[in-house]
């Protein structure tokens, strides 16, 4: 899944390796072969002709797909762009106006309204902008493209199935450049598997029905392992000293262990010393904002693999639930821009590390490489590079 307002950064290792590939062969010849495959997959000739009869290659989609740098912003900058005062106010109003709907969704799927409202805000500004690109044309273009053909071939088949089942009409299939559809921006394969008809009209319409869109998102979060009644994210304060190499979203310790290491609630109160697993998340290193991510936060990282986006969505949910604005942290965090991060990644690749691609974004592999190198240099291993770190590895 991805955001229509801020397109998904998720790029697999294979896609990164193919980022400079060149398309060869005729799009029309490819499309002719795909139509045969779609028919073999059970798509009717009527749907194939209606959806693909006049479809053409869209070069602008390829350009957009290969030039994404929004997720290279540091977390405070990124979240500050997305979480405006207006969006906070509008989300609170949506929660109040749709209280009965959110209550029914939570009873059935166990996911609080604040969580769904945050996704609703970030993905399409509460359904206000779902994208203007033809879903079928975008998916056909990306399925033909040399970068990720297998992935988008599957999505194009799924989109045709949605048409065949009557969930959506062809004129409703407009969305983000990667083929995401509806108020919560589901790729067609996710739509096919997880969408629900919550308003009872016989169609799973995530474009025009907010009830269907929000309930479908809750159904998907439940599928991802969301546990009813458990927290997802909590802002905390960290001490000056801590085994920083343990601060990673992939590492969990009982909350009592974090309390023993000196981590406290926002405002200085002691954490509850229980066995609830939690990860210490430091999106800008040991001097920046700090959060405990609980097992429910793992669902966010499947929704969108970007830690920056997932943390923003989870944090916005806590704001709707009453949490204060996040602290900037314990001290000044030096700025590391897009080109700085690329320089760090380049230097680490030269030292033999797999950083997941030199793309200017601190993804999971880049953070792991930074952390390992920090340990070797006997620096605090918080996984966040600094200008001093860059100088030393160069």
């Amino acid at each position: 899944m991805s955001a229509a307002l801020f397109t998904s950064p998720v790029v697999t290792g294979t896609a990164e390796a193919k980022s400079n590939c060149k398309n060869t062969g005729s799009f029309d010849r490819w499309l002719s072969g795909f139509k045969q495959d779609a028919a073999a997959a059970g798509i009717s000739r009527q749907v194939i002709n209606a959806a693909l009869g006049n479809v053409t290659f869209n070069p602008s989609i390829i350009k957009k797909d290969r030039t994404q740098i929004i997720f290279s912003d540091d977390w405070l900058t990124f979240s500050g762009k997305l979480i405006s005062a207006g969006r906070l106010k509008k989300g609170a109003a949506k929660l109040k106006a749709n209280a009965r709907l959110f209550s029914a969704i939570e009873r059935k799927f166990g996911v609080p309204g604040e969580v769904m409202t945050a996704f609703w805000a970030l993905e399409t500004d509460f359904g206000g902008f779902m994208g203007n690109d033809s879903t079928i044309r975008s998916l056909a273009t990306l399925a033909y493209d040399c970068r990720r053909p297998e992935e988008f071939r599957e999505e194009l088949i799924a989109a045709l199935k949605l048409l065949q089942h009557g969930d959506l009409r062809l004129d409703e299939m407009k969305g983000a450049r990667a083929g995401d559809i509806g108020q919560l921006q589901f790729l067609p394969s996710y739509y096919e598997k997880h969408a629900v008809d919550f308003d009872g009209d016989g169609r799973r319409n995530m474009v025009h029905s907010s009830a269907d869109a929000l309930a479908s998102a809750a159904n998907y979060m439940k599928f991802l392992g969301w546990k009813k009644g458990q927290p997802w994210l909590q802002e905390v304060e960290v001490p000056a000293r801590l085994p920083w190499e343990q601060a990673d979203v992939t590492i969990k310790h009982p909350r009592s262990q974090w309390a023993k290491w000196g981590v406290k609630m926002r405002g200085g109160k002691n954490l509850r010393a229980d066995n609830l697993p939690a990860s210490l998340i430091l999106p800008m290193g040991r001097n920046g904002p700090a959060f405990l991510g609980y097992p429910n936060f793992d669902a966010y990282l499947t929704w969108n693999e970007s830690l920056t986006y997932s943390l923003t969505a989870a944090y916005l949910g806590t704001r709707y639930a009453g949490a204060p604005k996040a602290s900037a942290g314990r001290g000044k965090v030096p700025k590391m821009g897009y080109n700085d991060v690329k320089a760090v990644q380049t230097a680490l690749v030269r030292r033999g590390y797999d950083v997941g691609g030199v793309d200017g974004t601190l993804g999971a592999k880049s953070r792991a490489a930074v952390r390992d190198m920090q340990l070797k240099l006997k620096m605090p291993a918080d996984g966040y590079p600094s200008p001093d770190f860059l100088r030393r590895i160069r």
Side-chain angles (χ1 to χ4, degrees):
M1 259 171 262
S2 63
L5 299 179
F6 291 88
T7 315
S8 170
V10 177
V11 177
T12 64
T14 300
E16 178 62 33
K18 293 182 177 179
S19 60
N20 295 317
C21 66
K22 302 294 183 182
N23 289 316
T24 59
S26 163
F27 174 78
D28 289 339
R29 188 179 301 114
W30 171 87
L31 183 60
S32 178
F34 176 80
K35 289 178 180 179
Q36 295 178 28
D37 293 343
I43 307 300
S44 71
R45 284 294 175 187
Q46 182 181 2
V47 169
I48 291 172
N49 292 335
L52 300 174
N54 297 312
V55 73
T56 56
F57 179 74
N58 188 348
S60 69
I61 293 296
I62 302 300
K63 184 177 180 180
K64 292 175 185 177
D65 189 56
R66 300 191 190 190
T67 55
Q68 301 177 56
I69 63 171
I70 182 64
F71 285 82
S72 63
D73 286 337
D74 66 70
W75 185 76
L76 282 173
T77 301
F78 179 87
S79 62
K81 288 177 180 178
L82 269 68
I83 303 176
S84 63
R87 191 166 278 172
L88 285 166
K89 183 178 180 180
K90 190 172 182 179
K94 291 285 186 182
L95 279 162
K96 184 176 181 180
N98 296 281
R100 291 180 64 182
L101 170 62
F102 283 120
S103 179
I105 290 173
E106 185 169 5
R107 282 196 304 273
K108 185 169 181 63
F109 302 107
V111 185
E114 293 84 358
V115 170
M116 293 299 94
T117 301
F119 279 126
W120 198 17
L122 298 181
E123 295 287 346
T124 64
D125 214 359
F126 309 102
F129 180 69
M130 291 177 273
N132 294 319
D133 290 306
S134 163
T135 300
I136 297 297
R137 190 184 184 200
S138 295
L139 291 174
T141 296
L142 292 168
Y144 161 77
D145 183 40
C146 58
R147 196 166 178 224
R148 287 174 287 174
E150 298 85 3
E151 175 183 338
F152 285 102
R153 193 180 191 90
E154 177 188 344
E155 296 301 336
L156 184 52
I157 291 288
L160 296 176
K161 288 181 178 179
L162 291 174
L163 291 172
Q164 184 154 291
H165 296 163
D167 290 309
L168 293 172
R169 300 187 309 269
L170 188 58
D171 64 332
E172 293 174 317
M173 280 195 160
K174 291 183 179 180
R177 57 95 192 146
D180 311 82
I181 310 171
Q183 296 183 33
L184 271 296
Q185 293 292 279
F186 273 37
L187 282 168
S189 64
Y190 292 90
Y191 199 128
E192 177 70 13
K193 295 172 185 174
H194 303 291
V196 296
D197 172 22
F198 206 70
D199 62 12
D201 69 350
R203 297 175 69 203
R204 302 180 301 166
N205 193 324
M206 295 178 65
V207 175
H208 295 302
S209 172
S210 297
D212 286 2
L214 292 165
S216 297
N219 184 43
Y220 181 54
M221 291 292 274
K222 181 180 179 181
F223 169 80
L224 295 177
W226 185 278
K227 302 299 183 186
K228 183 177 181 178
Q230 290 194 15
W232 60 95
L233 191 76
Q234 178 184 15
E235 188 181 3
V236 293
E237 297 176 359
V238 295
R241 293 180 179 275
L242 194 143
W244 299 112
E245 68 277 5
Q246 298 300 307
D248 185 72
V249 71
T250 65
I251 300 173
K252 289 182 172 61
H253 292 290
R255 189 157 47 181
S256 58
Q257 180 61 68
W258 294 115
K260 189 180 296 184
W261 279 332
V263 177
K264 295 184 179 295
M265 295 172 59
R266 171 81 182 271
K269 291 185 178 180
N270 290 332
L271 285 172
R272 185 178 298 176
D274 58 18
N275 290 322
L276 185 64
S279 300
L280 180 60
I281 304 170
L282 306 174
M284 297 171 63
R286 67 193 186 282
N287 292 322
F291 301 89
L292 285 183
Y294 296 104
N296 275 343
F297 182 70
D298 293 344
Y300 285 88
L301 291 168
T302 306
W303 181 292
N304 189 307
E305 293 174 18
S306 165
L307 178 62
T308 300
Y309 175 84
S310 292
L311 187 60
T312 299
Y315 162 67
L316 179 54
T318 67
R319 292 295 305 275
Y320 287 139
K325 182 178 180 181
S327 164
R330 295 190 308 109
K332 186 176 181 180
V333 179
K335 287 285 186 181
M336 293 292 288
Y338 174 74
N339 290 326
D340 297 318
V341 174
K342 284 189 71 174
V344 167
Q345 291 172 324
T346 299
L348 288 169
V349 167
R350 287 179 183 147
R351 290 174 175 266
Y353 287 99
D354 176 8
V355 299
V358 180
D359 57 5
T361 300
L362 279 173
K365 289 185 176 181
S366 289
R367 287 179 179 273
V370 169
R371 185 178 299 106
D372 188 71
M373 196 67 227
Q374 287 171 329
L375 286 169
K376 291 178 179 177
L377 294 171
K378 300 189 184 307
M379 301 176 74
D382 58 8
Y384 192 78
S386 64
D388 180 52
F389 175 79
L390 177 56
R391 283 192 296 270
R392 293 176 71 175
I393 63 173
R394 272 177 164 169

